Amino acid sequence: MFRTKRSGLVRRLWRSRAPVEGEGDADTGTRGGTAGCCLASKPNPGTEAELKALTYSILKKIKEKQLEVLLQAVESRGGARSPCLLLPGKADARLGQHSYPLPLLLYKVFRWPDLRHSSELKRLSCCESYGKINPELVCCNPHHMSRLCELESPPPPYSRYPTDFLKPPDSPGSVPASTETGGTAYSAPMGFSDSLALQERGEQPHWCVVAYWEEKTRVGRLYSVQEPSLDIFYDLPQGTGFCLGQLASENKSQLVQMVRAKIGYGIQLSREADGVWVYNRSCYPIFIKSATLDNPDSRTLLVHKVFPGFSIKAFDFEKAGSLQRPNDHEFSQQPRTGFTVQISFVKGWGQCYTRQFISSCPCWLEVIFNNR
């Protein structure tokens, strides 16, 4: 029987759909979700057949070139750059007793089976339609979206650090690599001056610098960031940005090597109008600590777990500025404490772990923001 190219694309897309719980890993709550997010249960055969018929009918109405774009995004799991998939945003599709907008249905099928409402989503800055309002056409590329990590219902406190632990460094001219390293390693002033030298030469000013650490050792030089967004990865098809896989590491620890290999697509760091967002592109959780993620009046700093496919506003410049109070001992002694974000790949740290400090984590990042 003769089969058209369109039919072949539709079949490949259906085979590449996001599995629900019990079928395997998905880019969803099946690999994790924030507290309060319910996981999708395995559908009964009737619902599965209905979903397949509905998906086939929708995909067969999409142009062949658009199907190729969707397939490229889905099969590469967002690793390959793919353009926007502009489709009518007001078109609805009915599944059982529920009616879904066309974009939402495609996001459910190809990324998050447990997705309920568009308010749970955040459009990524890489999307060409980001910040634009088009009442007719909406980008339906599922890998131009991310799930929001809601802090109103925070994940378990993977670590809580009383601010009394934040001791000023012994050297008045040094900047600690981390306020939680236990005083074992320092990254500056030498490292931070690497980035400041760029401005002295008249080059475009940076908005942050990134340091990559393996346990207590910094690997490579500080990476200065001028562009609005940065991909930090170990292995990313068509990847440009900060490639950790190209750094020469002398660490022979099996744990470090295992975690390094799991970084994969890594994270995307993007400066946006409301702050700096971190998008977890990898297949494993990341852990983030930032002073602006917590209540300004709190004496504890939380480490937040961010699952694959989720985004979190990791830093708020306006909020960070308000944290620097003249009578605040922590910020008067360590002026960059509120302008630093720590991110650990795969492994967390804190009271629930054997690793009490981030310097005990196999692979982690320190992001220092420019407050000038």
Side-chain angles (χ1 to χ4, degrees):
M1 179 179 178
F2 177 75
R3 293 179 177 178
T4 64
K5 180 180 179 181
R6 176 188 294 273
S7 298
L9 291 172
V10 170
R11 286 195 302 274
R12 285 176 63 186
L13 278 165
W14 176 251
R15 288 196 297 267
S16 301
R17 70 192 184 280
V20 296
E21 187 180 19
E23 292 184 331
D25 287 343
D27 205 11
T28 89
T30 58
R31 290 192 299 193
T34 53
C37 291
C38 299
L39 302 182
S41 58
K42 190 170 183 178
N44 59 54
T47 305
E48 178 78 359
E50 185 179 1
L51 178 62
K52 180 178 180 179
L54 177 60
T55 304
Y56 266 62
S57 66
I58 291 173
L59 294 179
K60 287 180 178 179
K61 296 176 183 177
I62 298 177
K63 296 179 180 178
E64 192 172 290
K65 288 291 184 183
Q66 291 178 313
L67 289 176
E68 291 176 347
V69 167
L70 181 58
L71 185 64
Q72 179 189 30
V74 170
E75 287 191 336
S76 70
R77 295 201 172 194
R81 290 193 186 94
S82 56
C84 290
L85 177 63
L86 297 177
L87 298 173
K90 294 183 178 180
D92 288 341
R94 191 162 191 83
L95 179 62
Q97 299 180 347
H98 302 282
S99 181
Y100 298 99
L102 177 58
L104 193 65
L105 182 67
L106 291 179
Y107 302 151
K108 284 176 66 68
V109 171
F110 294 110
R111 286 203 74 179
W112 302 290
D114 62 320
L115 184 64
R116 293 179 175 84
H117 195 271
S118 58
S119 62
E120 302 171 31
L121 298 171
K122 179 190 180 300
R123 191 170 298 279
L124 298 173
S125 59
C126 64
C127 182
E128 294 178 7
S129 61
Y130 176 80
K132 299 178 182 178
I133 299 177
N134 188 329
E136 301 299 329
L137 298 177
V138 175
C139 178
C140 298
N141 188 328
H143 287 277
H144 283 192
M145 305 296 293
S146 66
R147 293 286 291 272
L148 277 170
C149 188
E150 297 290 346
L151 296 181
E152 287 76 14
S153 299
Y158 288 92
S159 70
R160 294 179 181 272
Y161 291 105
T163 54
D164 292 342
F165 288 178
L166 305 178
K167 304 297 183 183
D170 296 332
S171 171
S174 64
V175 178
S178 163
T179 54
E180 313 294 354
T181 57
T184 56
Y186 294 87
S187 65
M190 172 201 69
F192 200 72
S193 63
D194 295 344
S195 179
L196 296 179
L198 295 174
Q199 296 182 55
E200 295 175 1
R201 294 199 299 266
E203 298 184 22
Q204 182 181 357
H206 66 277
W207 58 270
C208 78
V209 292
V210 181
Y212 170 62
W213 294 78
E214 291 179 353
E215 297 175 328
K216 295 179 176 66
T217 304
R218 199 183 83 188
V219 181
R221 294 176 61 85
L222 291 181
Y223 191 99
S224 182
V225 185
Q226 289 88 32
E227 298 299 323
S229 66
L230 171 70
D231 289 324
I232 305 174
F233 58 93
Y234 185 81
D235 182 19
L236 177 66
Q238 306 175 12
T240 58
F242 191 8
C243 179
L244 305 180
Q246 293 181 348
L247 300 179
S249 171
E250 298 179 357
N251 196 313
K252 304 301 181 183
S253 164
Q254 288 186 348
L255 180 60
V256 170
Q257 293 181 16
M258 179 194 71
V259 172
R260 192 190 302 141
K262 290 183 176 181
I263 293 173
Y265 293 178
I267 65 171
Q268 184 177 85
L269 195 69
S270 60
R271 178 171 183 173
E272 304 179 22
D274 60 342
V276 177
W277 287 79
V278 173
Y279 168 49
N280 185 2
R281 304 183 67 178
S282 74
C283 295
Y284 298 90
I286 60 173
F287 298 80
I288 297 181
K289 182 175 76 66
S290 167
T292 66
L293 281 174
D294 296 320
N295 189 322
D297 299 324
S298 174
R299 288 182 57 82
T300 62
L301 297 176
L302 299 180
V303 174
H304 297 269
K305 189 174 186 178
V306 182
F307 288 94
F310 279 71
S311 285
I312 189 170
K313 187 166 79 169
F315 190 77
D316 187 316
F317 282 95
E318 182 177 352
K319 193 173 180 180
S322 67
L323 291 174
Q324 295 194 21
R325 299 179 292 274
N327 60 346
D328 191 315
H329 174 75
E330 176 187 346
F331 290 100
S332 62
Q333 294 295 320
Q334 299 184 27
R336 291 199 184 102
T337 297
F339 284 83
T340 301
V341 169
Q342 298 161 344
I343 304 171
S344 174
F345 294 102
V346 185
K347 301 295 184 180
W349 77 97
Q351 292 181 351
C352 296
Y353 291 87
T354 56
R355 296 167 294 276
Q356 292 298 300
F357 302 107
I358 193 170
S359 58
S360 299
C361 292
C363 304
W364 57 282
L365 302 170
E366 184 178 33
V367 184
I368 306 171
F369 297 99
N370 187 355
N371 61 340
R372 302 186 177 212

